[in-house]
Amino acid sequence: KQEVTQIPAALSVPEGENLVLNCSFTDSAIYNLQWFRQDPGKGLTSLLLIQSSQREQTSGRLNASLDKSSGRSTLYIAASQPGDSATYLCAVSADRGSTLGRLYFGRGTQLTVWP
Amino acid sequence: ETGVTQTPRHLVMGMTNKKSLKCEQHLGHNAMYWYKQSAKKPLELMFVYSLEERVENNSVPSRFSPECPNSSHLFLHLHTLQPEDSALYLCASSPGTGTGAGGELFFGEGSRLTVL
């Protein structure tokens, strides 16, 4: 069974710092990897989707990389802001032949950016 | 209208009650999902519907009964729940059908359920 681990579990930084959030998965046979953001009491907002054939994706101050063979992904947040405070979740989708839309989630990294 | 809308946002029910959670997607997607997020576990897939046909029941107890009348609407009917069923129930949709990833998943805001 696919296991997804996110490190660190929590992170507290001052505004302006560049951050790296880590995600690892045990089975490299993935179809894609998705990073989400979750604010307290809210649903999930998709940030970036990386297909298994891709190495990275960028959106604004966010950059996600994927090393499928080693089972790792990183989410890089540049010039962090207090509004970035949230829980960041990493999820992988199993390879073709698996159940449609089955994502395996990590427990998340709870990020706090203070002014 | 936001992409995926869930109602109610909060629900408190007793163990003998019957209630339903509703999800509606305005994205023209073909697949819809129920996920469960409890405090002690990572998000877990419960049910998958592809073109209104259930394609997955992830060993979910029968006290949870999904219904998908069309590709835009998804319900989760609840009856005789247990306190340990208290959790955030998230609905999601994606463009694709069939096996495999189905494309990017878009989630609703969730329904926070408390079972007394």
Side-chain angles (χ1 to χ4, degrees):
Chain A
K1 181 186 174 182
Q2 178 75 270
E3 299 282 345
V4 180
T5 303
Q6 290 187 245
I7 295 173
L11 186 61
S12 181
V13 299
E15 181 177 9
E17 282 206 2
N18 300 323
L19 309 172
V20 176
L21 307 182
N22 296 293
C23 172
S24 62
F25 45 95
T26 54
D27 187 346
S28 62
I30 66 167
Y31 190 68
N32 60 38
L33 182 145
Q34 206 166 343
W35 281 95
F36 294 91
R37 168 185 173 141
Q38 186 173 30
D39 293 285
K42 302 282 190 176
L44 276 63
T45 300
S46 179
L47 297 173
L48 290 164
L49 172 72
I50 310 178
Q51 301 292 350
S52 61
S53 58
Q54 297 174 319
R55 297 301 298 268
E56 66 177 331
Q57 282 285 345
T58 298
S59 176
R61 294 183 293 109
L62 304 180
N63 175 277
S65 66
L66 173 64
D67 185 341
K68 182 181 170 183
S69 60
S70 68
R72 294 179 183 177
S73 176
T74 60
L75 179 66
Y76 178 81
I77 303 176
S80 58
Q81 303 170 358
D84 295 330
S85 299
T87 297
Y88 290 81
L89 294 162
C90 168
V92 297
S93 181
D95 206 344
R96 289 189 183 276
S98 180
T99 299
L100 173 70
R102 178 189 289 278
L103 295 180
Y104 294 90
F105 282 84
R107 292 180 179 272
T109 293
Q110 187 173 352
L111 173 65
T112 303
V113 181
W114 39 277
Chain B
E1 292 281 1
T2 56
V4 181
T5 305
Q6 291 188 240
T7 56
R9 292 293 313 280
H10 301 274
L11 178 63
V12 179
M13 59 187 290
M15 290 190 284
T16 58
N17 292 157
K18 291 184 180 180
K19 298 286 184 182
S20 296
L21 306 180
K22 178 183 177 181
C23 176
E24 183 174 1
Q25 60 98 358
H26 308 276
L27 301 169
H29 288 169
N30 292 313
M32 296 187 75
Y33 314 84
W34 282 114
Y35 274 83
K36 176 183 178 181
Q37 186 177 37
S38 51
K40 300 181 180 179
K41 296 181 181 181
L43 272 149
E44 300 173 278
L45 179 66
M46 299 176 71
F47 299 105
V48 181
Y49 276 84
S50 174
L51 295 174
E52 302 139 48
E53 180 179 348
R54 189 192 307 182
V55 297
E56 175 75 1
N57 176 350
N58 194 28
S59 301
V60 179
S62 59
R63 57 185 183 269
F64 295 92
S65 175
E67 177 190 2
C68 187
N70 55 63
S71 61
S72 299
H73 293 86
L74 184 65
F75 295 89
L76 187 62
H77 303 300
L78 316 169
H79 62 98
T80 59
L81 295 190
Q82 304 298 312
E84 58 264 30
D85 296 322
S86 298
L88 182 67
Y89 289 85
L90 291 160
C91 174
S93 70
S94 72
T97 60
T99 58
E104 188 174 0
L105 262 66
F106 294 85
F107 283 80
E109 293 284 288
S111 293
R112 173 69 63 184
L113 172 66
T114 303
V115 182
L116 302 176

